[in-house]
Amino acid sequence: MSDKEAKKLEKQQTMRHSMAHVMAGAVLKMFPDAKIAIGPAIENGFYYDFDLPRSITPDDLAVIEESMKEIIKARSGFERSVVSKEEARALFADQPYKLELIEELPDSEEISVYQMGDFKDLCRGPHVEDTSRLNPQSFKLLKTAGAYWRGDEKRPMLQRIYGTAFSNPKDLKMHLDHLEEMEKRDHRKLGKELDLFSLHEEAGPGLVYWHPKGARIRIAIEDFWRNEHYKNGYEMVFTPHVGKSWLWETSGHLGFYNESMFQPMEMDKSDYYAKPMNCPFHIMIYNNGKHSYRELPFRWAELGTVYRYEKSGTLHGLMRVRGFTQDDAHIICTPDQVEDEILEVLRFSLFMLRSFGFEDISAYLSTMPEKSVGDKKDWDLATESLRKAIEKEGLEYGVDEGGGAFYGPKIDLKVKDTMGREWQLSTVQFDFNLSERFDMVFVDKDGKEKRPFMIHRALLGSIERFFGVLVENFGGAFPVWLCPVQAMVIPVSAKFDDYAKEVEKSFRAAGIRVETDFSDERMNAKIRNAQNQKIPYMIVVGENEMNEKAVSIRVRTGEQKNGLPMNDAVQMILDKIELKELP
RNA sequence: GCCUCUGUAGCUCAGUCGGUAGAGCACAUCCAUGGUAAGGAUGGGGUCACCGGUUCAAGUCCGGUCGGAGGCUCCA
């Protein structure tokens, strides 16, 4: 970010923070007994938390907005004054949350108070000089929400009011349009409209049902995924969905992961658990025999479906579910193979993400935390390999020092979608814990048993979540290779049904996913239906086409190609599929 | 889990002051046989999430249960 941009952002954040004060002032006018908590500027806006005698309704928001406009028009200044702790206590005697904050302020720090009209607030600042710097036309209160005091679920629940604010009405409008567009692209909405998947509360929240069209897309993803894995030196494995408690005791999951696991089912006096991870199973395969250094590395991949108990309030469409399929793999290798393996994994990962149209990718490296298992020496080797790989690939990256899991360092890859949102997809993680717990060994050149490195990685993360991200990224208008229906044949009238069948047959024989609309709708309606289903190619056939053994194509984009020889049309679509392009 | 909002036909939603449920889309049947984003008519479809209460009467009011949505680590 340039200095100029940083400065602009800072100015904007100051404006938003002042906006939060104006809102708090308006709320206090409405509820003189309100207890105020904190109100910072956030991305795109601001919020303020209140303890109120009753809950805020959407109607209240409109009233508060009007009241804010009046406060702004009154043109009051933001007067800063510095007070002693004692004075601060007196000033905010009837504001318990503020008092708590005052008590926690270190003595070294100056305590400042900002007075804006009747409203005074304990605040570090800075603020705009006076409210004439705020534009009453370029903010909007968006929603209310519950929020715990200091994010702690044991503390009181406050009411938070979110607002958005920009320096001018045009930017505000752009942001509101952006929000609207995101709503349109919501994968839950599109999932329904395009008949891709469903969730059923009565059959178990957080468990996904893939409809035929969604399954088509998923299989396209998975087929590509498997093929590329074979090309990249992986083998596929399949492992069970449940395992006895021995397995989870050995792995340690019953100790540190118990809360996230489904309750056990008892059978033959043993407890079986649905798997929350695939790793122990892959290790069972490894430990089934003795392995020489000559065999390594092993790269074992599995689209492994795991079950995790997520709190009901955190479930969200496909993004956060209780049963999902990881595109998992474990690489088991010798210490001197680590560097190459990591580089290859990273390359592969970038290749996969780019294949799905994600170009804006950044990396995050998480290093050794205070509490960890494994040798410092191994951590260093692993961490350095990760760092080298990122640098070699020329990725932008951030480092989370001490942010790794206790069992190993990791890289996470984040992609930015077309809406500018970041999603964490790939993760490459070392595991010094499981190799130890399961006593994994290989026989080295010197005949001695040594501990291999185990690397856990997922490229897409989970198929469910990745699918959700794809739906939102493309707004349901997928690249041709992913479309459940790639071409819809539309006979102009029933007279041409036979020719339509012939066309459909040719397209299908070429490997294109094609359907024909034989309904007794008019052609206009058929086009509309196909367009709403975001089908990339509408193959219109009527008298002209039949006579010339040709087709006319209406592309989803609105582009029109008339009288194409059938073979040319087929080839054009095959090319788009091959190149993984949008139509 | 907690707070707020919310649950009416497959979908999107209307339903006033409590008086026994409605629209559009979708679906079915029929008519129309059509040239680039909705042709017309008719019809079927609802324990108003569930349980309880108030009432002569509850989709509507009250309480509870179960879902769904937004939010709950951006720190005066």
Side-chain angles (χ1 to χ4, degrees):
Chain A
M1 199 189 295
S2 70
D3 282 2
K4 207 176 158 191
E5 281 170 47
K7 225 170 188 175
K8 193 182 162 197
L9 193 73
E10 202 185 306
K11 216 177 139 193
Q12 202 164 45
Q13 291 306 84
T14 302
M15 176 275 286
R16 285 171 179 152
H17 189 179
S18 300
M19 225 23 132
H21 277 229
V22 171
M23 179 169 77
V27 169
L28 273 177
K29 268 191 188 160
M30 198 167 171
F31 302 98
D33 295 333
K35 306 294 174 221
I36 57 176
I38 57 168
I42 54 173
E43 198 185 350
N44 299 323
F46 58 91
Y47 70 77
Y48 213 111
D49 288 344
F50 305 95
D51 197 343
L52 299 175
R54 66 163 175 88
S55 44
I56 295 273
T57 65
D59 290 343
D60 294 333
L61 286 189
V63 175
I64 296 168
E65 243 175 53
E66 282 314 308
S67 165
M68 284 173 71
K69 284 178 189 171
E70 275 167 33
I71 293 174
I72 292 172
K73 280 181 197 147
R75 190 166 183 173
S76 21
F78 281 82
E79 309 295 342
R80 180 174 192 271
S81 53
V82 175
V83 298
S84 69
K85 207 166 219 183
E86 208 48 53
E87 288 167 318
R89 279 190 201 113
L91 277 173
F92 295 100
D94 56 349
Q95 289 293 348
Y97 300 102
K98 294 294 175 189
L99 286 176
E100 186 177 330
L101 294 168
I102 291 166
E103 289 317 313
E104 286 174 24
L105 283 173
D107 290 335
S108 57
E109 201 166 330
E110 219 170 48
I111 299 180
S112 54
V113 173
Y114 279 84
Q115 179 89 33
M116 186 272 307
D118 311 333
F119 176 71
K120 62 174 183 299
D121 197 0
L122 180 76
C123 179
R124 182 164 46 205
H127 281 284
V128 296
E129 285 164 41
D130 64 73
T131 55
S132 69
R133 301 298 174 109
L134 303 175
N135 187 335
Q137 301 307 324
S138 60
F139 81 96
K140 189 172 165 59
L141 301 186
L142 294 179
K143 57 195 172 191
T144 59
Y148 296 105
W149 169 234
R150 313 202 116 185
D152 182 344
E153 55 187 90
K154 293 186 189 70
R155 314 285 311 258
M157 175 68 72
L158 306 174
Q159 292 190 62
R160 176 170 296 180
I161 303 177
Y162 281 97
T164 183
F166 291 83
S167 40
N168 60 68
K170 207 178 102 213
D171 287 355
L172 172 70
K173 176 151 194 318
M174 264 174 60
H175 184 246
L176 294 178
D177 289 348
H178 188 253
L179 290 181
E180 200 180 318
E181 179 64 23
M182 289 211 298
E183 228 169 275
K184 273 191 215 153
R185 285 167 175 253
D186 189 310
H187 73 283
R188 292 164 301 180
K189 190 171 146 75
L190 285 170
K192 232 179 235 177
E193 285 170 10
L194 303 178
D195 197 15
L196 302 176
F197 66 90
S198 57
L199 295 149
H200 301 270
E201 42 169 288
E202 66 277 29
L207 303 170
V208 182
Y209 292 71
W210 295 76
H211 295 16
K213 290 207 167 72
R216 279 279 194 188
I217 301 175
R218 174 170 174 166
I219 287 169
I221 296 169
E222 290 187 357
D223 284 351
F224 172 68
W225 186 89
R226 285 197 190 88
N227 284 333
E228 291 303 325
H229 275 72
Y230 279 130
K231 281 192 209 163
N232 280 274
Y234 285 78
E235 289 299 327
M236 295 295 146
V237 297
F238 291 98
T239 62
H241 286 72
V242 295
K244 268 165 66 168
S245 45
W246 172 85
L247 195 66
W248 307 110
E249 275 158 18
T250 308
S251 68
H253 284 101
L254 281 184
F256 61 79
Y257 206 71
N258 200 14
E259 277 178 18
S260 299
M261 290 171 72
F262 273 52
Q263 289 297 300
M265 24 195 165
E266 198 194 309
M267 222 168 32
D268 296 339
K269 292 181 187 153
S270 295
D271 281 341
Y272 285 77
Y273 288 84
K275 65 174 168 185
M277 293 185 190
N278 301 300
C279 348
F281 296 86
H282 290 194
I283 295 173
M284 292 304 291
I285 298 178
Y286 181 83
N287 279 353
N288 189 49
K290 242 193 172 30
H291 299 290
S292 155
Y293 74 95
R294 294 169 187 276
E295 291 175 85
L296 302 182
F298 287 122
R299 303 186 196 95
W300 291 338
E302 175 177 15
L303 292 164
T305 303
V306 298
Y307 291 89
R308 296 181 185 174
Y309 175 76
E310 302 283 355
K311 287 182 186 174
S312 62
T314 63
L315 297 176
H316 180 86
L318 296 181
M319 299 303 188
R320 194 156 190 127
V321 291
R322 285 183 174 158
F324 58 97
T325 303
Q326 289 182 308
D327 72 314
D328 210 355
H330 293 91
I331 296 168
I332 302 166
C333 67
T334 68
D336 49 5
Q337 289 168 338
V338 164
E339 205 174 308
D340 285 348
E341 287 302 317
I342 291 297
L343 185 59
E344 273 314 305
V345 163
L346 188 62
R347 279 197 182 140
F348 188 23
S349 195
L350 293 172
F351 165 77
M352 286 296 273
L353 298 178
R354 286 176 182 143
S355 298
F356 287 93
F358 297 110
E359 294 295 339
D360 192 338
I361 304 171
S362 52
Y364 294 84
L365 174 66
S366 303
T367 64
M368 189 154 109
E370 281 188 23
K371 274 183 128 182
S372 64
V373 299
D375 279 1
K376 173 87 169 53
K377 181 169 64 66
D378 289 344
W379 274 83
D380 288 345
L381 169 63
T383 310
E384 271 325 290
S385 304
L386 293 172
R387 190 190 302 271
K388 272 189 200 166
I390 299 173
E391 283 172 2
K392 207 157 182 175
E393 286 301 307
L395 287 178
E396 294 277 323
Y397 74 104
V399 179
D400 187 359
E401 289 293 349
F406 73 91
Y407 49 83
K410 65 169 179 176
I411 313 179
D412 292 321
L413 295 187
K414 288 190 188 176
V415 304
K416 206 173 247 181
D417 72 8
T418 46
M419 301 297 288
R421 289 172 302 178
E422 274 202 334
W423 301 96
Q424 194 227 296
L425 300 175
S426 311
T427 175
V428 180
Q429 218 163 90
F430 279 86
D431 197 324
F432 298 126
N433 182 45
L434 290 180
S435 54
E436 191 76 35
R437 283 175 167 272
F438 281 92
D439 194 24
M440 296 166 73
V441 293
F442 70 97
V443 180
D444 208 351
K445 289 174 191 152
D446 53 11
K448 285 186 183 146
E449 288 192 338
K450 294 184 184 165
R451 186 83 67 222
F453 274 76
M454 183 161 99
I455 300 154
H456 170 102
R457 49 111 279 198
L459 306 186
L460 311 178
S462 102
I463 300 288
E464 284 75 5
R465 204 174 95 100
F466 185 70
F467 181 79
V469 172
L470 282 184
V471 170
E472 302 206 351
N473 183 55
F474 292 113
F478 298 101
V480 188
W481 72 288
L482 290 172
C483 288
V485 179
Q486 293 164 324
M488 178 64 84
V489 182
I490 297 178
V492 168
S493 84
K495 272 187 285 187
F496 312 107
D497 279 1
D498 284 342
Y499 181 59
K501 272 180 204 159
E502 201 181 305
V503 171
E504 182 186 345
K505 216 173 142 190
S506 307
F507 276 59
R508 177 162 295 127
I512 294 167
R513 294 191 284 271
V514 61
E515 287 178 8
T516 303
D517 189 344
F518 289 119
S519 69
D520 53 6
E521 295 291 344
R522 293 173 64 220
M523 188 203 58
N524 288 345
K526 293 181 185 181
I527 299 247
R528 184 182 147 85
N529 288 338
Q531 196 74 46
N532 285 340
Q533 285 296 303
K534 305 187 196 294
I535 294 168
Y537 300 105
M538 285 151 267
I539 315 296
V540 179
V541 294
E543 181 120 33
N544 305 335
E545 289 79 7
M546 188 169 69
N547 292 338
E548 294 166 34
K549 288 281 167 205
V551 296
S552 289
I553 299 187
R554 181 196 159 100
V555 188
R556 182 174 70 196
T557 56
E559 199 188 337
Q560 184 71 31
K561 301 170 203 272
N562 288 335
L564 239 66
M566 196 138 60
N567 287 341
D568 293 4
V570 167
Q571 197 51 51
M572 180 195 82
I573 296 175
L574 289 178
D575 288 348
K576 290 287 185 182
I577 293 172
E578 173 67 25
L579 294 170
K580 300 196 161 48
E581 283 180 4
L582 291 165

